[in-house]
Coordinates of all heavy atoms in Angstrom, one line a residue:
D555 N 99.3 92.9 72.1 CA 98.0 93.4 71.9 C 97.1 92.7 73.0 O 97.1 91.5 73.1 CB 97.5 93.1 70.5 CG 96.1 93.6 70.3 OD1 95.8 94.8 70.5 OD2 95.2 92.7 70.0
Q559 N 87.1 92.0 75.7 CA 85.7 91.6 75.3 C 84.7 92.4 76.2 O 84.8 92.3 77.4 CB 85.5 90.1 75.4 CG 84.2 89.6 75.0 CD 84.1 88.1 75.3 OE1 84.5 87.6 76.3 NE2 83.4 87.4 74.3
N564 N 72.4 92.9 82.7 CA 71.6 93.7 83.6 C 72.2 93.8 85.0 O 71.6 93.5 86.0 CB 70.2 93.0 83.8 CG 69.3 93.1 82.6 OD1 69.5 94.1 81.8 ND2 68.5 92.1 82.3
L568 N 80.4 98.2 86.9 CA 81.4 97.9 85.8 C 82.5 97.1 86.5 O 82.9 97.4 87.6 CB 82.0 99.2 85.2 CG 81.1 100.0 84.3 CD1 80.2 100.9 85.2 CD2 81.9 100.8 83.4
R592 N 85.1 103.6 77.7 CA 86.4 104.0 77.4 C 87.1 104.6 78.6 O 88.3 104.3 78.9 CB 86.5 105.0 76.2 CG 86.3 104.4 74.8 CD 86.6 105.4 73.7 NE 85.9 105.0 72.5 CZ 84.7 105.5 72.2 NH1 84.0 106.3 73.0 NH2 84.1 105.0 71.1
F594 N 86.4 104.1 81.8 CA 86.6 103.0 82.7 C 87.9 102.2 82.4 O 88.7 101.9 83.2 CB 85.4 102.1 82.8 CG 85.5 100.9 83.6 CD1 85.6 101.0 85.0 CD2 85.5 99.6 83.1 CE1 85.7 99.9 85.8 CE2 85.6 98.5 83.9 CZ 85.7 98.6 85.3
V595 N 88.0 101.8 81.1 CA 89.2 101.1 80.6 C 90.4 101.9 80.8 O 91.5 101.4 81.3 CB 89.0 100.6 79.2 CG1 90.3 100.0 78.6 CG2 87.9 99.5 79.1
E599 N 93.8 100.9 82.9 CA 94.8 100.4 81.9 C 96.0 99.8 82.5 O 96.5 98.8 82.2 CB 95.2 101.5 80.9 CG 96.1 101.0 79.8 CD 96.3 102.1 78.7 OE1 95.7 103.1 78.7 OE2 97.2 101.8 77.9
A600 N 96.6 100.5 83.5 CA 97.8 100.1 84.2 C 97.6 98.7 84.8 O 98.4 97.8 84.7 CB 98.3 101.1 85.2
W601 N 96.5 98.6 85.5 CA 96.1 97.3 86.2 C 96.0 96.2 85.1 O 96.5 95.1 85.3 CB 94.8 97.5 87.0 CG 94.4 96.2 87.7 CD1 94.8 95.7 88.9 CD2 93.5 95.2 87.2 NE1 94.2 94.5 89.1 CE2 93.4 94.2 88.1 CE3 92.7 95.1 86.0 CZ2 92.6 93.1 87.9 CZ3 91.9 94.0 85.8 CH2 91.9 93.0 86.8
R607 N 100.5 90.8 82.1 CA 101.9 90.4 82.1 C 102.1 89.3 83.1 O 102.8 88.3 82.9 CB 102.8 91.5 82.4 CG 103.0 92.5 81.3 CD 104.2 93.4 81.6 NE 103.9 94.3 82.7 CZ 103.4 95.5 82.7 NH1 103.1 96.1 81.6 NH2 103.3 96.2 83.9
T611 N 103.4 85.6 82.3 CA 104.6 85.0 82.9 C 104.4 83.7 83.6 O 105.2 82.8 83.5 CB 105.2 86.1 83.9 OG1 105.5 87.3 83.2 CG2 106.5 85.6 84.6
R616 N 105.0 77.7 83.6 CA 104.4 76.3 83.6 C 104.8 75.6 82.3 O 104.7 74.4 82.3 CB 102.9 76.4 83.7 CG 102.4 76.8 85.0 CD 101.0 76.7 85.2 NE 100.6 77.4 86.4 CZ 99.8 78.5 86.4 NH1 99.3 79.0 85.3 NH2 99.5 79.0 87.6
P622 N 108.7 84.4 77.2 CA 108.6 85.6 76.4 C 109.5 86.8 76.9 O 109.4 87.2 78.1 CB 107.1 86.0 76.6 CG 106.8 85.4 77.9 CD 107.6 84.2 78.1
E627 N 112.0 98.4 75.0 CA 111.6 99.6 75.7 C 111.0 99.2 77.1 O 110.9 100.1 78.0 CB 110.5 100.4 74.9 CG 109.3 99.6 74.5 CD 109.4 98.8 73.2 OE1 110.5 98.7 72.6 OE2 108.3 98.3 72.8
W629 N 112.4 97.0 79.2 CA 113.5 96.6 80.1 C 113.8 97.7 81.1 O 114.0 97.5 82.2 CB 114.7 96.2 79.3 CG 114.8 94.8 78.8 CD1 114.4 94.4 77.6 CD2 115.1 93.7 79.6 NE1 114.6 93.0 77.5 CE2 115.0 92.5 78.7 CE3 115.5 93.5 80.9 CZ2 115.2 91.2 79.2 CZ3 115.8 92.2 81.3 CH2 115.6 91.1 80.5
G638 N 113.6 100.3 92.3 CA 112.8 101.1 93.2 C 112.4 100.3 94.5 O 112.5 100.9 95.6
L649 N 120.6 99.1 104.7 CA 121.7 98.4 103.9 C 121.8 99.2 102.6 O 121.0 99.9 102.2 CB 121.2 97.0 103.6 CG 121.1 96.0 104.8 CD1 120.4 94.7 104.4 CD2 122.5 95.7 105.3
N652 N 125.7 97.8 95.8 CA 126.4 98.6 94.9 C 125.7 98.8 93.6 O 125.5 99.9 93.1 CB 127.8 98.0 94.6 CG 128.7 98.1 95.8 OD1 128.7 99.1 96.5 ND2 129.6 97.2 96.0
K660 N 117.5 81.9 83.8 CA 116.7 80.7 83.5 C 116.3 79.9 84.8 O 115.3 79.3 84.9 CB 117.4 79.7 82.6 CG 117.9 80.3 81.3 CD 116.7 80.8 80.4 CE 117.2 81.3 79.1 NZ 116.4 82.3 78.5
S668 N 129.6 88.8 96.2 CA 130.4 89.2 97.3 C 130.8 90.7 97.2 O 131.2 91.3 98.2 CB 131.7 88.4 97.4 OG 132.4 88.5 96.2
L678 N 110.4 88.9 87.6 CA 109.8 89.3 88.9 C 108.9 90.5 88.7 O 108.0 90.8 89.5 CB 111.0 89.7 89.8 CG 111.7 88.5 90.4 CD1 113.0 89.0 91.1 CD2 110.8 87.8 91.4
Y688 N 109.6 90.0 98.4 CA 110.2 88.9 99.1 C 111.6 88.6 98.5 O 112.6 88.5 99.2 CB 109.3 87.6 99.0 CG 110.1 86.4 99.3 CD1 110.7 86.1 100.6 CD2 110.4 85.5 98.3 CE1 111.4 85.0 100.9 CE2 111.2 84.3 98.6 CZ 111.7 84.1 99.9 OH 112.5 83.0 100.1
V710 N 115.4 88.0 107.2 CA 114.3 88.0 106.2 C 113.0 88.2 107.0 O 112.1 89.1 106.7 CB 114.2 86.8 105.3 CG1 112.9 86.8 104.4 CG2 115.5 86.7 104.4
L714 N 109.9 90.8 106.7 CA 108.7 90.2 106.1 C 108.3 89.0 107.0 O 108.6 87.9 106.7 CB 109.0 89.7 104.7 CG 109.4 90.7 103.7 CD1 109.8 90.1 102.3 CD2 108.3 91.8 103.4
G728 N 106.4 79.5 90.5 CA 107.6 79.8 89.7 C 108.8 79.1 90.0 O 109.9 79.4 89.4

Side-chain angles (χ1 to χ4, degrees):
D555 179 58
Q559 179 185 41
N564 290 329
L568 289 82
R592 281 190 207 92
F594 176 68
V595 169
E599 183 173 354
W601 179 85
R607 283 192 301 264
T611 300
R616 287 191 193 114
E627 59 272 9
W629 276 98
L649 296 168
N652 287 329
K660 306 297 183 206
S668 59
L678 286 168
Y688 162 67
V710 173
L714 297 175

